């Protein structure tokens, strides 16, 4: 009885797995919404009510033995403490549930509100505060093409409204109509007194993204629809992206800033999707194909909306959400390859470094809708197929020092002097963080200039930090164990400090300087090499582009009029060497390297070893740069094998999925070429076939799974680990290798575990079991015309040998005959020797090869037969001796 009760308690818990901030459901997630302090998740068969910590409170089945009620509208009505659900059951069905207990039904009605098929729709609570409606935007499946059909309707949400709940009429049936051949609603929301709907429409001139605007202050539905304005949204200048994938409104004090993900619908394009920002506060005009009830839909006026800024491009963005923090805009981007990316924008919409908050091991797409925890916006909920995750939007705590905290390139993270840890600002009173418009600047930067009148060199250091208080601040500069500056020539006022020293220290050569900056309890140490700028080209009669780059990279200034390098005359902006010297480069007689191909050009995010680059003029290449689409700083990889037209190098791990641009670097620090490499998920091993090998090894083992082409080798873990190279079958997608010999004790079954080697990482796979080598005993022959059938007896084993794994050769004197295998049974192997040039009547012995090793030669009799022969001979000899002794005794 206790076991029965335990089952009742445990089984419901196993319906979905709760593992920290993740929940796995037993069906695909169709939609999820956040209302007040609840999270509502809709799957194929159930509606789940959950707390914000992802623990389940209630569930409601939407399927029974007789019918399936498919919910396609899920809208929380917070002001009324209800949850509105509508779906398809017979002609349609809507139900109003208690927001705090979804098992309690407040009202239900048979009515068609949402789409009947799997088309996208948009639904949310809209209208003035005195009259709240359910706005639904959907395609009408029953209307003939080119005829105006309703696509937007307003439904009552309360019985007190005219006509009662779920009524749409006010004497007539008001709606927004369309004549477009295909309409797909993507998003919609109400912002103060404005209603916005965003959709994809198939028009006579092609696919377009359009926005519909209405005045939500209008109390009557007819008046609200009569306020309709619309416009076409265009993206982008580099290429047409006519399909809207997802969108979000960005909280803003002035105007309405909206972000949309646009797609070119080319999955092979590394910049297939673009994220662009628009000011939609003044949508004016009309687009052809949309009108109010009773109007003609063929008029068009106004202008198309152009982006304020295109802030991010990626191969497969699938969703977007946004919050504000002071002057910063924080965008959260979901991707079709299972990543959640955080992107910061400054007040000029300049993007910072993308930060990957979450990355799935497989290719599950992030669903288009994402929601924040409504209390403090410190977490965001994302859905991936059957999984809901709660991801922290601020991950400051993992950075243990000021330097690491600033290097995270997240303006929401700063160093808290009070608590001596990396945190967000609302947890701290004295907080050091990234200054505005400084996302791309390093934490520490240097400048040096020469004051020729005083024969002094000034070294200036600046920290890219701002503080809410006045932190204690000091600097020191040393060369070797000697202080570079005395007290009078050293100044430090947060966040800058300067050091002046005599230029005689640079006459004998380069000067290595160590700078130590102390900010409260945190110390940052940086090293740099100071060069005498005037010596860089003094000894060179022909200044070149390379020398100019060397000059500017050393913090000096190149003077084009005199073609020489010298000190700067004072502080100023630091120029990029390639930009400062570009005029010299154009005059060079220079054979630029070219990249023709990369093999392979698709790798796991763990990287890849021994990649082959083919091209031209590659002999001068010093290193490779790989700039990922989520990287601010390119990764470098040395060249370890080169020729004029090929290079070999290792692709370092990316840490993210997506694409990277590969270029080759020459000694002048220029990067040439722009080849694309794609980072995908790591391989996943699902099994091997066969699962057992014979002891001596050499059996072909196929490894099944996904992304197997990224596997470089397999590593067996035993007393002497072995790394075996693999081969990839393009047609089947399998990796295969030959099993190693088992060095363990020969004579019993055992197993060896192995892993898949991917770049500099490994992925768990399977155990390979071992059995004794196949054992063959005797053979007989049977004449069949000119052919000779050979029947070989074998011991029963668990190897399940295939015909391709066994090779039999018959030996007759100096002649060898290939025996064609016909069948392998548990106790026998049958093969035929073809008598093509005459009858084959007999063979003296057989060679049987299994895999790569001859494990049986009948001319050498099996070991156990030799043993029995020796024992039998000894016994016979013993009896003969006894017999001789007895005869001798009787004769006597």
């Amino acid at each position: 009885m206790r076991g029965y009760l335990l089952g009742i308690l445990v089984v419901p818990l196993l319906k979905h797995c709760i593992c920290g901030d993740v929940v796995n459901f037993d069906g695909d997630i169709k939609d999820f919404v956040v209302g007040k302090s609840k999270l509502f998740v809709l799957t194929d068969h159930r509606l789940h009510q959950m707390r914000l910590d992802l623990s389940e409170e209630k569930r409601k089945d939407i399927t029974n033995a007789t019918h399936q009620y498919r919910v396609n509208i899920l809208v929380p009505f917070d002001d009324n403490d209800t949850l509105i659900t509508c779906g398809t059951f017979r002609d349609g069905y809507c139900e109003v549930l208690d927001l705090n207990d979804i098992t309690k039904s407040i009202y239900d009605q048979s009515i068609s509100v949402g789409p009947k098929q799997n088309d996208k729709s948009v639904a949310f609570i809209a209208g003035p505060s005195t009259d709240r409606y359910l706005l639904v935007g959907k395609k009408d499946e029953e209307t003939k093409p080119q005829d105006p059909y309703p696509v937007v309707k307003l439904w009552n949400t309360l019985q007190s409204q005219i006509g009662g709940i779920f009524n749409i009429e006010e004497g007539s049936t008001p709606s927004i109509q369309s004549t477009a051949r295909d309409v797909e609603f993507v998003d919609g929301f109400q912002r103060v007194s404005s209603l916005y709907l965003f959709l994809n429409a198939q028009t006579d001139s092609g696919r377009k993204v359009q926005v519909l605007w209405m005045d939500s202050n209008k109390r009557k539905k007819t008046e609200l629809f009569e306020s309709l304005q619309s416009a076409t949204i265009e993206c982008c200048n580099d290429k047409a992206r006519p399909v809207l994938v997802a969108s979000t409104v960005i909280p803003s004090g002035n105007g309405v800033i909206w972000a949309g993900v646009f797609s070119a619908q080319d999955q092979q394009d590394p910049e297939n999707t673009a994220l662009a920002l628009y000011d939609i506060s003044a949508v004016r005009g009309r687009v052809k194909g949309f009108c109010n009830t009773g109007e003609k839909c063929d008029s068009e006026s106004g202008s198309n909306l152009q982006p304020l800024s295109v802030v991010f491009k990626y191969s497969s963005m699938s969703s977007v959400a946004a919050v504000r923090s002071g002057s910063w805009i924080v965008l959260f981007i979901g991707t079709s390859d299972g990543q959640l990316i955080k992107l910061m924008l400054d007040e000029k919409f300049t993007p910072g470094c993308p930060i990957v908050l979450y990355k799935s091991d497989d290719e599950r797409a992030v669903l288009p809708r994402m929601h924040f925890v409504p209390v403090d916006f410190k977490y965001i909920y994302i859905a991936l197929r059957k999984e809901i995750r709660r991801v922290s939007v601020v991950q400051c705590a993992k950075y243990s020092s000021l330097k690491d905290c600033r290097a995270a390139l997240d303006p929401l993270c700063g160093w808290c002097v009070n608590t001596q840890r990396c945190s967000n600002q609302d947890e701290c009173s004295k907080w050091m963080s990234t200054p505005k418009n400084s996302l791309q600047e390093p934490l520490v930067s240097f400048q040096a200039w020469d004051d020729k009148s005083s024969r002094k060199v000034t070294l200036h250091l600046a920290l890219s930090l701002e503080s809410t208080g006045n932190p204690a601040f000091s600097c020191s500069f040393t060369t070797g164990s000697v202080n570079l500056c005395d007290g009078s020539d050293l100044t430090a006022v947060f966040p800058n400090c300067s050091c002046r020293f005599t230029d005689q220290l640079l006459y004998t050569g380069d000067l290595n300087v160590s700078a130590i900056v102390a900010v409260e309890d945190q110390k940052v140490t940086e090293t740099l090499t100071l060069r005498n700028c005037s010596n860089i080209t003094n000894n060179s009669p022909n200044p070149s582009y390379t020398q100019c780059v060397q000059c500017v990279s050393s913090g000096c200034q190149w003077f084009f009029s005199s073609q020489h390098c010298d000190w700067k005359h004072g502080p100023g902006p630091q120029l990029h060497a390639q930009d400062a010297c570009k005029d010299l480069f154009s005059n060079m007689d220079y054979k630029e390297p070219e990249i023709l191909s990369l093999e392979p050009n698709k790798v796991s995010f763990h990287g890849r070893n021994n990649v082959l680059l083919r091209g031209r003029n590659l002999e001068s290449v010093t290193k490779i740069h790989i700039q990922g689409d989520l990287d601010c700083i390119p990764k470098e990889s040395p060249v370890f094998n080169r020729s004029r037209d090929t290079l070999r190098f290792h692709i370092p791990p990316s840490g993210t999925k997506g694409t990277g641009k590969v270029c080759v670097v020459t000694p002048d620090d220029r990067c040439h070429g722009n080849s694309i490499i794609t980072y995908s998920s790591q391989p996943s091993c699902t099994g091997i076939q066969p699962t057992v090998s014979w002891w001596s090894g050499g059996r072909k083992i196929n490894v099944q799974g996904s992304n197997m082409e990224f596997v470089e080798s397999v590593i067996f873990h035993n007393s002497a680990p072995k790394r075996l190279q693999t081969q990839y079958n393009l047609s089947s997608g399998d990796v295969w290798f030959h099993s190693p010999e088992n060095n363990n004790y020969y004579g019993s079954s055992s197993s060896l575990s192995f892993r898949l080697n991917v770049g500099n990482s490994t992925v768990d796979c399977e155990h390979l079991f071992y059995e004794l080598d196949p054992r063959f005993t005797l053979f007989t022959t049977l004449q069949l015309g000119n052919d000779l059938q050979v029947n070989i007896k074998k011991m029963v084993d668990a190897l399940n040998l295939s015909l391709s794994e066994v090779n039999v050769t018959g030996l007759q004197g100096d002649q060898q005959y290939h025996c064609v295998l016909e069948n392998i049974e548990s106790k026998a192997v049958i093969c035929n020797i073809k008598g093509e040039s005459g009858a084959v009547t007999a063979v003296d012995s057989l060679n049987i090869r299994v895999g790569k090793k001859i494990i049986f030669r009948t001319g050498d009799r099996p070991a156990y037969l030799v043993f029995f022969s020796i024992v039998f001979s000894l016994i016979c000899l013993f009896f003969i001796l006894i017999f001789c002794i007895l005869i001798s005794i009787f004769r006597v």
Side-chain angles (χ1 to χ4, degrees), residues 713-727:
S713 60
V714 296
I715 303 174
F716 276 83
H717 297 274
N718 54 8
S719 57
K722 297 179 181 178
R723 182 185 296 265
L724 303 178
Q725 294 302 312
T726 60
Q727 296 194 41

PDB file of all heavy atoms in Angstrom, residues 713-727:
ATOM      1  N   SER A 713      38.984  12.513 -33.472  1.00  0.00           N
ATOM      2  CA  SER A 713      39.525  11.214 -33.084  1.00  0.00           C
ATOM      3  C   SER A 713      38.719  10.681 -31.916  1.00  0.00           C
ATOM      4  O   SER A 713      37.866  11.387 -31.352  1.00  0.00           O
ATOM      5  CB  SER A 713      41.010  11.326 -32.698  1.00  0.00           C
ATOM      6  OG  SER A 713      41.162  12.211 -31.600  1.00  0.00           O
ATOM      7  N   VAL A 714      38.951   9.425 -31.569  1.00  0.00           N
ATOM      8  CA  VAL A 714      38.356   8.853 -30.360  1.00  0.00           C
ATOM      9  C   VAL A 714      39.479   8.511 -29.401  1.00  0.00           C
ATOM     10  O   VAL A 714      40.582   8.122 -29.817  1.00  0.00           O
ATOM     11  CB  VAL A 714      37.488   7.610 -30.663  1.00  0.00           C
ATOM     12  CG1 VAL A 714      36.307   7.979 -31.519  1.00  0.00           C
ATOM     13  CG2 VAL A 714      38.313   6.517 -31.326  1.00  0.00           C
ATOM     14  N   ILE A 715      39.225   8.685 -28.113  1.00  0.00           N
ATOM     15  CA  ILE A 715      40.243   8.440 -27.091  1.00  0.00           C
ATOM     16  C   ILE A 715      39.741   7.354 -26.159  1.00  0.00           C
ATOM     17  O   ILE A 715      38.686   7.506 -25.521  1.00  0.00           O
ATOM     18  CB  ILE A 715      40.546   9.724 -26.291  1.00  0.00           C
ATOM     19  CG1 ILE A 715      41.000  10.841 -27.233  1.00  0.00           C
ATOM     20  CG2 ILE A 715      41.606   9.454 -25.242  1.00  0.00           C
ATOM     21  CD1 ILE A 715      41.182  12.170 -26.548  1.00  0.00           C
ATOM     22  N   PHE A 716      40.460   6.237 -26.116  1.00  0.00           N
ATOM     23  CA  PHE A 716      40.112   5.137 -25.224  1.00  0.00           C
ATOM     24  C   PHE A 716      40.822   5.329 -23.888  1.00  0.00           C
ATOM     25  O   PHE A 716      42.010   5.648 -23.840  1.00  0.00           O
ATOM     26  CB  PHE A 716      40.515   3.795 -25.840  1.00  0.00           C
ATOM     27  CG  PHE A 716      39.489   3.256 -26.788  1.00  0.00           C
ATOM     28  CD1 PHE A 716      39.451   3.690 -28.099  1.00  0.00           C
ATOM     29  CD2 PHE A 716      38.544   2.337 -26.368  1.00  0.00           C
ATOM     30  CE1 PHE A 716      38.501   3.210 -28.975  1.00  0.00           C
ATOM     31  CE2 PHE A 716      37.595   1.848 -27.237  1.00  0.00           C
ATOM     32  CZ  PHE A 716      37.565   2.288 -28.541  1.00  0.00           C
ATOM     33  N   HIS A 717      40.076   5.127 -22.804  1.00  0.00           N
ATOM     34  CA  HIS A 717      40.624   5.336 -21.465  1.00  0.00           C
ATOM     35  C   HIS A 717      40.825   3.975 -20.799  1.00  0.00           C
ATOM     36  O   HIS A 717      39.890   3.307 -20.405  1.00  0.00           O
ATOM     37  CB  HIS A 717      39.673   6.192 -20.627  1.00  0.00           C
ATOM     38  CG  HIS A 717      39.483   7.555 -21.190  1.00  0.00           C
ATOM     39  ND1 HIS A 717      40.333   8.596 -20.915  1.00  0.00           N
ATOM     40  CD2 HIS A 717      38.550   8.057 -22.037  1.00  0.00           C
ATOM     41  CE1 HIS A 717      39.930   9.674 -21.540  1.00  0.00           C
ATOM     42  NE2 HIS A 717      38.852   9.377 -22.230  1.00  0.00           N
ATOM     43  N   ASN A 718      42.051   3.579 -20.715  1.00  0.00           N
ATOM     44  CA  ASN A 718      42.417   2.367 -19.974  1.00  0.00           C
ATOM     45  C   ASN A 718      43.798   2.597 -19.380  1.00  0.00           C
ATOM     46  O   ASN A 718      44.221   3.733 -19.190  1.00  0.00           O
ATOM     47  CB  ASN A 718      42.371   1.123 -20.887  1.00  0.00           C
ATOM     48  CG  ASN A 718      43.226   1.307 -22.134  1.00  0.00           C
ATOM     49  OD1 ASN A 718      43.962   2.272 -22.252  1.00  0.00           O
ATOM     50  ND2 ASN A 718      43.126   0.371 -23.054  1.00  0.00           N
ATOM     51  N   SER A 719      44.499   1.527 -19.068  1.00  0.00           N
ATOM     52  CA  SER A 719      45.815   1.694 -18.436  1.00  0.00           C
ATOM     53  C   SER A 719      46.789   2.435 -19.341  1.00  0.00           C
ATOM     54  O   SER A 719      47.676   3.131 -18.867  1.00  0.00           O
ATOM     55  CB  SER A 719      46.390   0.320 -18.076  1.00  0.00           C
ATOM     56  OG  SER A 719      46.460  -0.505 -19.236  1.00  0.00           O
ATOM     57  N   ALA A 720      46.617   2.317 -20.657  1.00  0.00           N
ATOM     58  CA  ALA A 720      47.443   3.046 -21.621  1.00  0.00           C
ATOM     59  C   ALA A 720      46.508   3.730 -22.613  1.00  0.00           C
ATOM     60  O   ALA A 720      46.123   3.131 -23.621  1.00  0.00           O
ATOM     61  CB  ALA A 720      48.404   2.101 -22.343  1.00  0.00           C
ATOM     62  N   PRO A 721      46.082   4.976 -22.321  1.00  0.00           N
ATOM     63  CA  PRO A 721      45.115   5.656 -23.184  1.00  0.00           C
ATOM     64  C   PRO A 721      45.585   5.695 -24.632  1.00  0.00           C
ATOM     65  O   PRO A 721      46.755   5.925 -24.924  1.00  0.00           O
ATOM     66  CB  PRO A 721      45.037   7.066 -22.574  1.00  0.00           C
ATOM     67  CG  PRO A 721      45.467   6.890 -21.154  1.00  0.00           C
ATOM     68  CD  PRO A 721      46.481   5.801 -21.178  1.00  0.00           C
ATOM     69  N   LYS A 722      44.627   5.460 -25.542  1.00  0.00           N
ATOM     70  CA  LYS A 722      44.951   5.436 -26.961  1.00  0.00           C
ATOM     71  C   LYS A 722      44.085   6.453 -27.690  1.00  0.00           C
ATOM     72  O   LYS A 722      42.904   6.593 -27.408  1.00  0.00           O
ATOM     73  CB  LYS A 722      44.679   4.042 -27.552  1.00  0.00           C
ATOM     74  CG  LYS A 722      45.543   2.937 -26.950  1.00  0.00           C
ATOM     75  CD  LYS A 722      45.204   1.604 -27.573  1.00  0.00           C
ATOM     76  CE  LYS A 722      46.048   0.475 -26.967  1.00  0.00           C
ATOM     77  NZ  LYS A 722      45.702  -0.837 -27.532  1.00  0.00           N
ATOM     78  N   ARG A 723      44.707   7.157 -28.639  1.00  0.00           N
ATOM     79  CA  ARG A 723      43.982   8.097 -29.493  1.00  0.00           C
ATOM     80  C   ARG A 723      43.946   7.514 -30.902  1.00  0.00           C
ATOM     81  O   ARG A 723      44.978   7.268 -31.512  1.00  0.00           O
ATOM     82  CB  ARG A 723      44.668   9.464 -29.499  1.00  0.00           C
ATOM     83  CG  ARG A 723      43.933  10.526 -30.337  1.00  0.00           C
ATOM     84  CD  ARG A 723      44.759  11.803 -30.389  1.00  0.00           C
ATOM     85  NE  ARG A 723      44.901  12.403 -29.089  1.00  0.00           N
ATOM     86  CZ  ARG A 723      44.107  13.369 -28.629  1.00  0.00           C
ATOM     87  NH1 ARG A 723      43.112  13.826 -29.384  1.00  0.00           N
ATOM     88  NH2 ARG A 723      44.290  13.882 -27.442  1.00  0.00           N
ATOM     89  N   LEU A 724      42.744   7.262 -31.408  1.00  0.00           N
ATOM     90  CA  LEU A 724      42.575   6.659 -32.723  1.00  0.00           C
ATOM     91  C   LEU A 724      41.937   7.664 -33.674  1.00  0.00           C
ATOM     92  O   LEU A 724      40.933   8.293 -33.349  1.00  0.00           O
ATOM     93  CB  LEU A 724      41.677   5.418 -32.640  1.00  0.00           C
ATOM     94  CG  LEU A 724      42.132   4.305 -31.688  1.00  0.00           C
ATOM     95  CD1 LEU A 724      41.120   3.187 -31.702  1.00  0.00           C
ATOM     96  CD2 LEU A 724      43.501   3.779 -32.090  1.00  0.00           C
ATOM     97  N   GLN A 725      42.542   7.835 -34.850  1.00  0.00           N
ATOM     98  CA  GLN A 725      41.970   8.730 -35.843  1.00  0.00           C
ATOM     99  C   GLN A 725      40.681   8.123 -36.404  1.00  0.00           C
ATOM    100  O   GLN A 725      40.530   6.902 -36.503  1.00  0.00           O
ATOM    101  CB  GLN A 725      42.963   8.974 -36.986  1.00  0.00           C
ATOM    102  CG  GLN A 725      44.213   9.731 -36.546  1.00  0.00           C
ATOM    103  CD  GLN A 725      43.886  11.078 -35.934  1.00  0.00           C
ATOM    104  OE1 GLN A 725      43.111  11.845 -36.488  1.00  0.00           O
ATOM    105  NE2 GLN A 725      44.469  11.357 -34.777  1.00  0.00           N
ATOM    106  N   THR A 726      39.760   9.007 -36.768  1.00  0.00           N
ATOM    107  CA  THR A 726      38.471   8.555 -37.265  1.00  0.00           C
ATOM    108  C   THR A 726      38.310   8.926 -38.723  1.00  0.00           C
ATOM    109  O   THR A 726      39.039   9.754 -39.267  1.00  0.00           O
ATOM    110  CB  THR A 726      37.323   9.204 -36.469  1.00  0.00           C
ATOM    111  OG1 THR A 726      37.401  10.626 -36.618  1.00  0.00           O
ATOM    112  CG2 THR A 726      37.422   8.860 -34.997  1.00  0.00           C
ATOM    113  N   GLN A 727      37.320   8.303 -39.351  1.00  0.00           N
ATOM    114  CA  GLN A 727      36.918   8.684 -40.695  1.00  0.00           C
ATOM    115  C   GLN A 727      35.431   8.960 -40.679  1.00  0.00           C
ATOM    116  O   GLN A 727      34.689   8.387 -39.875  1.00  0.00           O
ATOM    117  CB  GLN A 727      37.260   7.584 -41.701  1.00  0.00           C
ATOM    118  CG  GLN A 727      38.765   7.335 -41.821  1.00  0.00           C
ATOM    119  CD  GLN A 727      39.128   6.511 -43.031  1.00  0.00           C
ATOM    120  OE1 GLN A 727      38.573   6.694 -44.111  1.00  0.00           O
ATOM    121  NE2 GLN A 727      40.078   5.600 -42.844  1.00  0.00           N
TER     122      GLN A 727
END
